[in-house]
Amino acid sequence: VVEKLDIPSINTEKCCDQVIVFDGVSKEIARVRGEGKSLNVVSTGNIMTVMFVSDYSNINGWRISRYVSNSTLDIRDDSTKLSIHLEGRKSKIFSIAECSTDGDDVYVFPGRYWEGYLPKNLTSKTRLRVSGETVSNCNHGGAYDKIAKTCVCPTGFAGPTCTEACGPNHFGLNCSGTCSSFQDGCKNIIFCNITHNCSCAAGFTGNKCEKECEPGTYGANCQNLCGKCKEGSCNKYTGECDDLCEEGYYPPLCQHQYAFLSQAPSIKERSFNSVVISANFQNPKGMGIPHLYEVQFKKIGSSEWNKTSVQEINSRSVVLITVTDLNVGTKYLLRIVVICEDGNSYRGDSVPTLQFETDCQVPNSNIYEMESRNITQSSFIITWNYPVYSDKWCPVDSFQIILQDQWKTYSQELPIIVNYTAYSALLPSRQYIVRACAKTIHGYAPCSKPFGVTTEGKVPGKVRHLTVNSRNGRNIQISWKRPLFTGSIKGYRIQYQCVKRFICEESCGNSSGSLETKEHSANLYNLLPHVQYKIRVAAYSSSQGPFTSVFATTKTTSPDVSPIASNQPIVSKSNTTVIVQWLPPPCPGRNGQLTGYHFSLTSETEKGTTILQNGTTKDLQTSFTSLTPMTQYQVFVYAMTSHGWNTDFKLVIPFSSSATVPDTVQNLEVYKRGRRMIGIRWAKPKRVYGTLESFTVAHHQKGSEDTFSHTMSPNACSGWPHLYCYTINKYLQPDKQYIVSVTARNHEIDEDGMASEINAVTRENAPDAPASLTIRRSTSTSFEMEWELPNLFNGELRSFLVNIEHIDSFNETECCEYFPVQELPVREESPIYNLEVTGLNPASTYIVSVSAKTITMGPSINATYHTSPLAPTDLKSPEVIGMAEDGHSYVLKIKPIHMISSTNSTYLLLVLPPGELSPPVIWERELLGKLIQAVNASFYIVSEFTSVELVSAQETEIGTGRTVTNGTLGQLMDPKLTPGYYRVGLALVQRYGHAISVDLATSNRFEFRAVDLERVVS
């Protein structure tokens, strides 16, 4: 049989054809002819035979054979015609197509595809495959060829395992083929090969490969589903997720989980609170390189995993891991999460889990702390609490509660969250036995001891002869007799309730209560006065009987309510009198008939509230006299009955008495005078009664009616800041007597107060001596002296005369120097005057005197002063030589000192440690102050030296740990050194008379290190 098929123009270097042949023919020859060229393709030579995959692989002896030209055909001319001749029996041409470099058929729509005659039950869409198998190493639908030992990839993918995506415009081996020079790429092109039959390029589907893949699909014919993409869709050509993967899946395809163990851990050891597991990290499932692992566990039924610390996976394949902090007798699920090198992990349900249970001991206690409550004639409630005495006990899952009634028993099992049960429909006055048994996962704990409960009995009758025995304004006493009842009575319940008031319509409020007693009488306390109460009493045994009632009234009392404030409580007031008023209290007779009001006038003092006046009245107002002007007062008003008044219930009426003129000024005196001048000085009035506004100074000559006055603001004296001064220098004549008066005025009253008067003569005299001469800021060669004004000038203060007398010196050759008298003019009155004196000799004694001068010189004020000794010029700081042999202290060297000829000098060795210390203990406060000022840091005194001891060099130690001792100037201490920076110093303390001087020389910082201590210990 010869079949010929003419094909339109074809542009290719290689062609492929498929032929349907009868299996009985042993040899087929396909002859391709074009432009005079021919090529024989023999099935037994280079022909690649393709077998059916389907059940139709051998139907009536038919099969499909595929032929590929084994050499290049130069048929790329559009005018070339290609013919196929088949010689043999029962043959049929199936298809002729362009052939890619790796042997795939390529169809471009439209055209270039013919489907010839097919035998019955054969179809061109039958899927063909090589004799091989599909394995997991071949991705995106690739098939594995055992002979070639490689993957045969679907269209659009390449590489040994089909992992390389060709993209939108490439195909074939190593993606070397190009579909188009246009943006359509591989659209409308079908690809065929012997493994996957015919399909569209990656990213397309449809009869003519014209449709793009729907979201969620990708690859050749869109037959692959996207992986676990976070957004649900992937790249239609490559299958890579557009965004991230769902948690736990490996990018970029997100089709496989991250690595996880292939098998669950196993138990090696188990205890009460821990478990040892064995984990095998070999051959994990999923993708990624394992790097770390994390053990997770949770109780059965819990949704949250407990996590342990992340550990690194070591080189060993099997690892023993201890998990702690577990609960006793508890079932757990455990898993190991593998963390890959990129830090991601899979934590889904595919991770294998281990279920285990920790050890525990069945409890051995029978203590259940059972109690009964709400016992009635027919019911009661039982509660229990099972204490845990050991942390190794198995947890209790439930309780079995057993009720025994004579020979019958009733049992119920309750969950652990329930700790009570109720029984009902019981008989009165009957005893029931209850037992509780705790149930654990390993059995029952010992049951409780029998717990007995007796239901209540019958109800008693009414109490008899309920009587009110006594009553007053706040209490009622009642009594009664036992009811006619044969059973035992446990006690009595009393209830009382206010019914009504007798005077006003005001309600009783919540004046009620209840109490219980076993006696046949009771006292009711804290009742309302002058009201009616209803009182009820009932007996009870197992249950309560009926009430018996009686009515009773309370008596009147002192009022428990205060008068009401009036809208205008102050009727009138002056600086010494006031009239106040008020309104009656609400329901005036609530405590009994109102008899009047008690009142008190009070004021606040340093000792508290003071009652100034008091009394009673039946009116709604009262008055007070003899008040102090401009003073705060309070009036207390109380309502009264025949029982008096109640100090807890008062109306408070505050008020302030009116202002008045100030009192007379105090301590008026003439402190200076001249021929035509008078200076006066005074203190403000004892009581101003407001704010001081001004003073008025008036004067007139004795025997004359001509008065001259001046008003001044209340400005203090420049010389005495606590007093007021005024100088009169007009309308005066020499040697005349004048009467001077001063009055004060406040802002509240437009009127002057009473006048204070004093006589003055315009005649100048000698002043008093200056006051308070003191010496300040002294050195060995200078000091500053201060003094105050004389109390009385007796004239116009012109100057101060200062005299300094050198009377003694430690160095007799330097005594005694003469100082001329200095006169200091006075230009204004000041509280303090001062003078700095220099050029003095060290260690010397001086007498200082100051006199005031008016027209003549007054008496002087004197003081004796000692200058301090001069510091030596060769005072050097101690030298730190090094650490002592014990390793805890340092050796210091104190250089020799050539002292001045002082008779009283002491050297102090000081240590200035790191950190803050309290000041050292020094016997004299003045010396302590001078030392603190000189050192200006924390310090302590180690040693004292005399000048004789330091004539030659001395060596001493610090840091010896010596106990505290007392020296001549203060406490001496030498604690052990601590790490840090130190300094040492040598202080010279010199005395002459009352003068003290301190001179200091300190070293540079040196470090005492902790390593020094470590060396000593070692």
Side-chain angles (χ1 to χ4, degrees):
V1 177
V2 177
E3 181 174 346
K4 179 179 179 182
L5 178 64
D6 291 332
I7 304 173
S9 299
I10 188 168
N11 185 3
T12 183
E13 295 180 352
K14 214 170 189 182
C15 69
C16 300
D17 65 272
Q18 297 185 67
V19 180
I20 301 174
V21 297
F22 188 73
D23 199 33
V25 179
S26 61
K27 183 176 181 181
E28 299 87 15
I29 299 175
R31 185 168 296 168
V32 182
R33 296 175 180 174
E35 292 293 326
K37 298 178 182 178
S38 64
L39 174 65
N40 292 333
V41 182
V42 183
S43 62
T44 58
N46 295 325
I47 296 176
M48 180 178 283
T49 302
V50 181
M51 301 300 296
F52 278 114
V53 179
S54 66
D55 294 336
Y56 309 109
S57 60
N58 190 4
I59 298 177
N60 298 327
W62 287 92
R63 60 189 175 91
I64 295 180
S65 294
R66 184 171 183 273
Y67 305 97
V68 180
S69 58
N70 59 357
S71 62
T72 301
L73 297 177
D74 189 11
I75 51 176
R76 290 176 291 178
D77 190 352
D78 290 341
S79 62
T80 300
K81 299 292 185 177
L82 183 65
S83 298
I84 299 295
H85 293 264
L86 296 178
E87 297 178 357
R89 294 182 302 167
K90 297 182 180 179
S91 301
K92 189 73 175 179
I93 296 175
F94 174 61
S95 66
I96 298 175
E98 299 175 9
C99 206
S100 64
T101 56
D102 56 348
D104 287 348
D105 300 352
V106 180
Y107 300 96
V108 180
F109 292 95
R112 297 188 184 176
Y113 179 76
W114 295 264
E115 183 172 335
Y117 167 79
L118 293 177
K120 186 178 179 180
N121 296 329
L122 288 178
T123 172
S124 64
K125 296 184 179 179
T126 302
R127 181 175 177 84
L128 304 176
R129 59 187 290 178
V130 295
S131 54
E133 60 181 1
T134 301
V135 295
S136 60
N137 286 344
C138 299
N139 295 283
H140 304 291
Y144 185 70
D145 188 342
K146 288 185 176 180
I147 299 175
K149 296 183 179 180
T150 185
C151 291
V152 179
C153 301
T155 304
F157 295 93
T161 57
C162 305
T163 55
E164 299 177 12
C166 295
N169 198 33
H170 293 277
F171 68 94
L173 185 66
N174 298 326
C175 301
S176 58
T178 302
C179 291
S180 172
S181 299
F182 300 95
Q183 293 182 355
D184 287 347
C186 295
K187 185 177 182 182
N188 294 115
I189 299 177
I190 188 169
F191 298 85
C192 300
N193 60 39
I194 61 176
T195 305
H196 300 90
N197 202 5
C198 298
S199 70
C200 299
F204 297 97
T205 186
N207 292 333
K208 296 185 178 182
C209 302
E210 76 281 5
K211 298 179 181 179
E212 295 184 357
C213 292
E214 296 288 338
T217 63
Y218 76 98
N221 274 355
C222 303
Q223 62 186 1
N224 295 328
L225 297 178
C226 295
K228 299 288 185 177
C229 299
K230 192 170 184 180
E231 299 297 330
S233 63
C234 63
N235 186 285
K236 63 184 180 181
Y237 304 109
T238 66
E240 296 181 358
C241 291
D242 297 332
D243 200 352
L244 301 175
C245 302
E246 291 183 7
E247 185 176 1
Y249 284 84
Y250 193 83
L253 298 178
C254 307
Q255 293 178 347
H256 302 281
Q257 301 101 322
Y258 273 92
F260 59 92
L261 297 187
S262 58
Q263 59 185 16
S266 60
I267 293 288
K268 292 300 181 182
E269 295 180 15
R270 182 175 58 182
S271 65
F272 295 99
N273 300 106
S274 64
V275 65
V276 178
I277 61 173
S278 173
N280 189 342
F281 290 95
Q282 283 187 330
N283 302 321
K285 295 182 179 181
M287 300 185 69
I289 300 176
H291 176 52
L292 307 170
Y293 71 90
E294 179 183 69
V295 179
Q296 299 182 347
F297 61 91
K298 67 178 180 180
K299 295 180 182 178
I300 298 293
S302 174
S303 60
E304 296 293 331
W305 290 93
N306 299 308
K307 301 175 183 179
T308 63
S309 60
V310 175
Q311 303 292 328
E312 187 174 3
I313 298 176
N314 55 31
S315 59
R316 292 179 297 173
S317 59
V318 178
V319 179
L320 294 180
I321 304 170
T322 301
V323 182
T324 59
D325 297 330
L326 303 178
N327 293 338
V328 172
T330 305
K331 293 181 179 180
Y332 285 94
L333 279 180
L334 182 144
R335 69 181 184 182
I336 295 179
V337 174
V338 175
I339 302 173
C340 294
E341 286 187 339
D342 63 357
N344 292 321
S345 61
Y346 173 68
R347 300 168 185 255
D349 295 337
S350 298
V351 178
T353 59
L354 166 68
Q355 182 172 331
F356 67 93
E357 180 183 314
T358 53
D359 291 340
C360 65
Q361 297 174 351
V362 176
N364 57 6
S365 172
N366 65 348
I367 299 175
Y368 285 76
E369 298 180 356
M370 301 182 69
E371 294 181 357
S372 61
R373 58 184 176 88
N374 295 4
I375 302 174
T376 67
Q377 290 181 326
S378 60
S379 64
F380 60 82
I381 295 175
I382 291 293
T383 63
W384 62 88
N385 177 47
Y386 191 59
V388 178
Y389 296 110
S390 172
D391 58 2
K392 297 181 179 180
W393 280 5
C394 299
V396 176
D397 292 335
S398 61
F399 291 98
Q400 185 180 19
I401 309 301
I402 303 170
L403 174 69
Q404 183 175 352
D405 176 22
Q406 297 182 358
W407 55 274
K408 293 182 180 180
T409 58
Y410 305 89
S411 177
Q412 57 180 327
E413 187 169 335
L414 299 174
I416 184 64
I417 60 174
V418 178
N419 70 334
Y420 73 94
T421 185
Y423 295 99
S424 59
L426 307 177
L427 297 178
S429 300
R430 192 176 185 115
Q431 187 182 43
Y432 295 87
I433 302 300
V434 183
R435 299 180 68 190
C437 305
K439 182 181 179 183
T440 71
I441 58 177
H442 293 304
Y444 283 95
C447 295
S448 68
K449 295 179 180 179
F451 183 76
V453 182
T454 302
T455 54
E456 293 185 345
K458 295 181 179 180
V459 178
K462 283 188 173 184
V463 300
R464 299 175 298 143
H465 305 297
L466 178 59
T467 305
V468 178
N469 297 330
S470 62
R471 60 192 176 88
N472 57 32
R474 297 292 182 181
N475 307 322
I476 295 177
Q477 185 187 55
I478 58 174
S479 64
W480 58 90
K481 290 187 177 180
R482 172 188 171 94
L484 299 175
F485 179 64
T486 57
S488 63
I489 294 178
K490 295 182 179 179
Y492 298 91
R493 293 189 175 97
I494 301 97
Q495 297 179 353
Y496 58 94
Q497 174 70 52
C498 176
V499 178
K500 63 181 178 180
R501 293 183 182 272
F502 291 109
I503 299 299
C504 52
E505 297 181 356
E506 184 179 340
S507 67
C508 294
N510 295 323
S511 181
S512 61
S514 63
L515 65 150
E516 293 185 5
T517 181
K518 294 183 178 180
E519 306 298 331
H520 295 104
S521 63
N523 288 315
L524 310 180
Y525 297 102
N526 300 321
L527 306 179
L528 295 177
H530 205 33
V531 298
Q532 183 189 45
Y533 280 90
K534 182 181 179 180
I535 305 170
R536 304 196 304 165
V537 180
Y540 68 91
S541 56
S542 57
S543 59
Q544 181 179 299
F547 279 103
T548 299
S549 302
V550 68
F551 288 92
T553 60
T554 52
K555 294 184 177 182
T556 58
T557 63
S558 60
D560 58 2
V561 65
S562 62
I564 299 175
S566 169
N567 291 333
Q568 187 179 353
I570 308 301
V571 179
S572 65
K573 70 174 180 177
S574 67
N575 57 353
T576 58
T577 63
V578 69
I579 300 176
V580 297
Q581 63 180 2
W582 57 88
L583 299 177
C587 186
R590 60 185 290 170
N591 301 97
Q593 183 65 38
L594 200 65
T595 59
Y597 300 93
H598 177 79
F599 56 82
S600 298
L601 176 67
T602 67
S603 67
E604 294 295 329
T605 64
E606 295 179 355
K607 297 181 180 180
T609 303
T610 302
I611 298 178
L612 305 176
Q613 303 176 33
N614 56 32
T616 59
T617 181
K618 293 184 178 182
D619 298 326
L620 294 175
Q621 69 174 26
T622 188
S623 61
F624 299 96
T625 59
S626 303
L627 304 180
T628 301
M630 203 64 179
T631 304
Q632 294 286 338
Y633 293 97
Q634 287 183 326
V635 178
F636 298 159
V637 184
Y638 309 86
M640 294 175 56
T641 65
S642 58
H643 296 274
W645 65 89
N646 191 337
T647 57
D648 293 331
F649 297 91
K650 62 178 177 287
L651 170 66
V652 180
I653 304 176
F655 72 94
S656 213
S657 57
S658 302
T660 186
V661 296
D663 290 349
T664 58
V665 300
Q666 302 180 86
N667 304 327
L668 177 62
E669 60 182 342
V670 177
Y671 75 94
K672 64 180 179 180
R673 55 190 175 177
R675 291 173 56 82
R676 297 184 182 274
M677 177 269 293
I678 297 175
I680 57 175
R681 181 177 61 204
W682 66 90
K684 73 175 184 178
K686 183 177 181 180
R687 290 183 294 269
V688 179
Y689 302 118
T691 304
L692 192 61
E693 179 180 334
S694 63
F695 295 105
T696 299
V697 180
H699 72 279
H700 65 276
Q701 188 176 337
K702 189 174 182 178
S704 172
E705 295 182 356
D706 295 333
T707 300
F708 305 94
S709 62
H710 174 74
T711 300
M712 59 174 283
S713 299
N715 298 323
C717 298
S718 59
W720 297 274
H722 62 289
L723 299 175
Y724 302 92
C725 300
Y726 183 73
T727 301
I728 305 171
N729 50 23
K730 292 183 178 181
Y731 312 113
L732 298 176
Q733 296 181 10
D735 294 322
K736 300 295 182 181
Q737 185 175 1
Y738 290 87
I739 299 173
V740 182
S741 64
V742 179
T743 59
R745 174 177 294 199
N746 56 30
H747 284 280
E748 287 70 22
I749 302 296
D750 191 17
E751 182 180 345
D752 288 344
M754 296 291 293
S756 291
E757 294 185 349
I758 192 171
N759 292 328
V761 177
T762 51
R763 184 182 305 122
E764 194 168 2
N765 207 335
D768 292 350
S772 303
L773 176 61
T774 56
I775 305 297
R776 300 182 184 276
R777 290 180 287 275
S778 61
T779 68
S780 59
T781 59
S782 65
F783 62 78
E784 183 178 346
M785 52 189 295
E786 292 182 353
W787 64 91
E788 298 177 4
L789 287 168
N791 184 45
L792 297 177
F793 297 177
N794 296 324
E796 181 179 353
L797 185 61
R798 292 171 171 80
S799 62
F800 290 104
L801 300 179
V802 179
N803 183 35
I804 299 174
E805 185 178 358
H806 187 187
I807 63 172
D808 193 11
S809 181
F810 180 76
N811 187 349
E812 296 180 354
T813 61
E814 297 180 356
C815 187
C816 291
E817 186 179 358
Y818 168 75
F819 290 85
V821 176
Q822 299 185 57
E823 183 171 3
L824 305 178
V826 176
R827 295 180 175 83
E828 61 178 356
E829 298 174 4
S830 300
I832 298 293
Y833 295 86
N834 54 51
L835 175 65
E836 183 179 6
V837 180
T838 60
L840 305 179
N841 291 331
S844 299
T845 304
Y846 296 87
I847 294 179
V848 181
S849 64
V850 181
S851 302
K853 178 182 178 183
T854 57
I855 194 173
T856 183
M857 187 171 66
S860 65
I861 182 171
N862 303 318
T864 301
Y865 173 68
H866 304 278
T867 56
S868 59
L870 190 64
T873 58
D874 54 352
L875 182 64
K876 303 295 183 182
S877 64
E879 179 183 352
V880 180
I881 298 176
M883 183 172 286
E885 293 182 356
D886 61 1
H888 288 282
S889 57
Y890 275 95
V891 177
L892 305 180
K893 180 179 181 180
I894 302 177
K895 299 177 181 179
I897 297 176
H898 304 289
M899 288 294 303
I900 63 173
S901 55
S902 174
T903 59
N904 191 351
S905 60
T906 304
Y907 289 87
L908 303 177
L909 176 60
L910 309 181
V911 174
L912 284 65
E916 297 291 332
L917 293 180
S918 300
V921 177
I922 303 296
W923 310 137
E924 295 182 68
R925 179 178 298 181
E926 182 182 358
L927 175 58
L928 175 62
K930 288 182 177 293
L931 282 170
I932 292 176
Q933 182 179 5
V935 178
N936 195 26
S938 296
F939 68 97
Y940 56 87
I941 304 174
V942 177
S943 305
E944 293 180 348
F945 299 95
T946 64
S947 57
V948 175
E949 292 174 325
L950 294 184
V951 171
S952 60
Q954 296 285 330
E955 285 192 1
T956 185
E957 294 184 11
I958 61 171
T960 61
R962 186 178 66 242
T963 58
V964 177
T965 59
N966 291 333
T968 58
L969 301 182
Q971 287 186 349
L972 308 179
M973 58 189 299
D974 189 21
K976 290 185 177 297
L977 303 180
T978 58
Y981 286 94
Y982 286 79
R983 287 188 297 160
V984 292
L986 188 65
L988 170 61
V989 179
Q990 299 185 87
R991 297 176 182 274
Y992 176 77
H994 298 295
I996 301 176
S997 66
V998 174
D999 296 284
L1000 176 69
T1002 58
S1003 69
N1004 294 327
R1005 291 197 314 168
F1006 64 93
E1007 183 181 8
F1008 181 72
R1009 297 175 297 175
V1011 68
D1012 299 331
L1013 292 177
E1014 295 172 0
R1015 179 177 61 80
V1016 173
V1017 172
S1018 63

